[in-house]
Amino acid sequence: MGLGVLIEGKWFSERDQEDSQGRFVRPSTTFRNTITADGSSGFKAEPGRYHLYISWACPWAQRTAIMRQLKGLEDAIALSVVAPEIDQNGWEFSSEPGCIPDQINNSRYLWEIYTKAEPDYSGRVTVPVLWDKETATIVNNESREIIRMFDTQFDAIARKDVFFYPEDLRAVVDETIDAIYQPINNGVYRAGFATTQSAYEEAVTELFDALDYWERVLAEQRYLCCDRITEADWCMFTTLLRFDPVYYVHFKCNLRRIVDYPNLWNYLKELYQLPGVKETCNLDHIKRHYYKSHPNVNPTRIVPKGPLINFDAPHNRYRMGAALQV
Ligand SMILES: N[C@@H](CCC(=O)N[C@@H](CS)C(=O)NCC(=O)O)C(=O)O
């Protein structure tokens, strides 16, 4: 497969990731502690205490980078960025353009962070990783939970007064994040990593049914949950950004492109153009990661030149009413 795994603290460069029907199965993440504003969880929101490990290529990790940026947490939570291509050693730190080496643990590979946190760790080594310098452990490696913590627990530290989980919308935000996860965020991977025709077709059908549904929603309202940007929009955004450059070709999600959906496409451009967001969009890392890191999907590891997409082109979402200022 080309993706590795830690077993009792030892790195192995190959692992299986499909079930007996050829369906891609994403195991759940393991570090699930929370940071709280008052420290009641054992991890208090404090400036300089936490460190975020990401890849610009990864849609889950980019969610956390976006939230850090939009909340104005760049000074409070420092960043390390791995190299885009995964080889037999998994994610690797580097000083090539766009990367930021690990100045906290001085690791060469990301798996070293996992074994520092838990010497006998068994499981996948994924980004994002939120590291606590004080207790020298991983607080959490689940993007959805990390963005929630940045959004709701760092009020006293965040430089910007924006919220993406408003009290009156909490249920609908959670439902929407759930609703888009399996068919869309994970759906592109289920299509791309399927090893049987039926598993692929199941995933691709569910994916496009869901995109068609949200296209209709966005014809009526500006964002996924209402007329305000919420965490659900950022969960959707990182998948849409990669769709035409990568998923359409590499993962065979090719019934339609995002540019063929007028509402999704304009919505994608609007989110991309909000201040701070495009700084987290590294299409070079994104393309190199996918096309070069999955040799079973793309054995030549050739990265296509196109498509030519202008995410900065004007969008038409203003007609839908006021946007949140970020
Ligand atoms: N559930 C995790 C998923 C993270 C994830 O799967 N990250 C991928 C990159 S896109 C990864 O690090 N994969 C390496 C591997 O599977 O070995 C989250 O949302 O944070």
Side-chain angles (χ1 to χ4, degrees):
M1 172 62 232
L3 293 173
V5 66
L6 276 174
I7 299 173
E8 289 170 1
K10 264 193 78 189
W11 177 257
F12 293 84
S13 60
E14 294 281 331
R15 71 164 192 264
D16 287 334
Q17 54 174 7
E18 69 251 9
D19 70 7
S20 58
Q21 267 90 51
R23 294 194 198 97
F24 167 67
V25 185
R26 184 182 294 279
S28 51
T29 34
T30 36
F31 293 95
R32 308 297 284 269
N33 285 310
T34 46
I35 297 173
T36 46
D38 62 6
S40 55
S41 61
F43 297 96
K44 186 171 167 37
E46 289 171 278
R49 174 165 172 182
Y50 302 98
H51 191 82
L52 184 61
Y53 291 97
I54 63 157
S55 155
W56 292 130
C58 168
W60 319 100
Q62 191 192 356
R63 292 171 169 185
T64 65
I66 291 173
M67 195 55 76
R68 168 180 175 269
Q69 189 89 15
L70 296 177
K71 301 288 289 189
L73 288 168
E74 306 95 310
D75 298 334
I77 302 169
L79 205 60
S80 293
V81 180
V82 292
E85 292 161 39
I86 290 192
D87 68 5
Q88 74 270 18
N89 297 308
W91 293 113
E92 183 171 0
F93 294 100
S94 152
S95 43
E96 70 166 285
C99 300
I100 308 177
D102 173 22
Q103 279 153 354
I104 303 302
N105 289 298
N106 297 311
S107 315
R108 172 149 185 211
Y109 301 113
L110 188 70
W111 63 259
E112 296 169 48
I113 309 291
Y114 279 73
T115 54
K116 260 190 186 149
E118 209 177 288
D120 293 336
Y121 177 80
S122 295
R124 297 191 312 150
V125 171
T126 56
V127 281
V129 171
L130 186 59
W131 177 263
D132 177 20
K133 295 193 250 176
E134 195 169 300
T135 59
T137 196
I138 297 174
V139 183
N140 197 297
N141 66 342
E142 177 60 41
S143 61
R144 181 177 171 168
E145 295 175 6
I146 297 171
I147 62 172
R148 178 66 46 84
M149 290 176 224
F150 288 179
D151 193 19
T152 62
Q153 302 301 317
F154 283 81
D155 290 0
I157 298 157
R159 274 192 300 103
K160 300 209 180 122
D161 204 13
V162 285
F163 298 96
F164 301 95
Y165 191 53
E167 243 164 71
D168 56 322
L169 288 178
R170 290 194 167 175
V172 59
V173 172
D174 288 333
E175 277 161 27
T176 306
I177 295 175
D178 282 340
I180 64 176
Y181 173 76
Q182 197 60 338
I184 298 179
N185 305 130
N186 199 36
V188 291
Y189 286 90
R190 289 166 54 222
F193 288 151
T195 55
T196 59
Q197 186 69 29
S198 59
Y200 160 74
E201 286 185 16
E202 180 180 280
V204 136
T205 305
E206 278 176 41
L207 167 65
F208 282 92
D209 285 350
L211 290 175
D212 293 350
Y213 170 80
W214 290 106
E215 172 70 9
R216 291 194 297 275
V217 169
L218 291 174
E220 305 294 326
Q221 67 193 36
R222 189 149 174 178
Y223 306 109
L224 296 188
C225 298
C226 65
D227 61 351
R228 278 171 281 165
I229 300 179
T230 66
E231 290 174 14
D233 295 297
W234 298 118
C235 291
M236 181 70 124
F237 172 78
T238 60
T239 298
L240 295 185
L241 177 74
R242 288 158 177 74
F243 204 95
D244 292 359
V246 175
Y247 303 145
Y248 184 89
V249 175
H250 183 65
F251 281 172
K252 305 187 186 76
C253 299
N254 63 356
L255 290 183
R256 284 173 282 287
R257 300 166 302 172
I258 297 306
V259 296
D260 301 320
Y261 285 103
N263 295 305
L264 283 167
W265 171 225
N266 279 287
Y267 163 84
L268 170 58
K269 281 184 287 186
E270 181 190 0
L271 294 179
Y272 177 87
Q273 292 167 23
L274 286 169
V277 176
K278 73 179 70 155
E279 288 84 341
T280 70
C281 300
N282 187 324
L283 281 156
D284 172 56
H285 277 213
I286 290 172
K287 288 174 67 175
R288 278 168 53 207
H289 167 67
Y290 284 94
Y291 290 108
K292 290 182 156 240
S293 302
H294 308 138
N296 57 335
V297 180
N298 185 27
T300 62
R301 304 169 85 236
I302 288 171
V303 183
K305 282 287 236 187
L308 301 172
I309 301 177
N310 183 6
F311 293 102
D312 276 311
H315 67 81
N316 65 7
R317 303 299 288 171
Y318 297 112
R319 69 191 164 85
M320 315 285 300
L324 180 81
Q325 295 301 307
V326 291

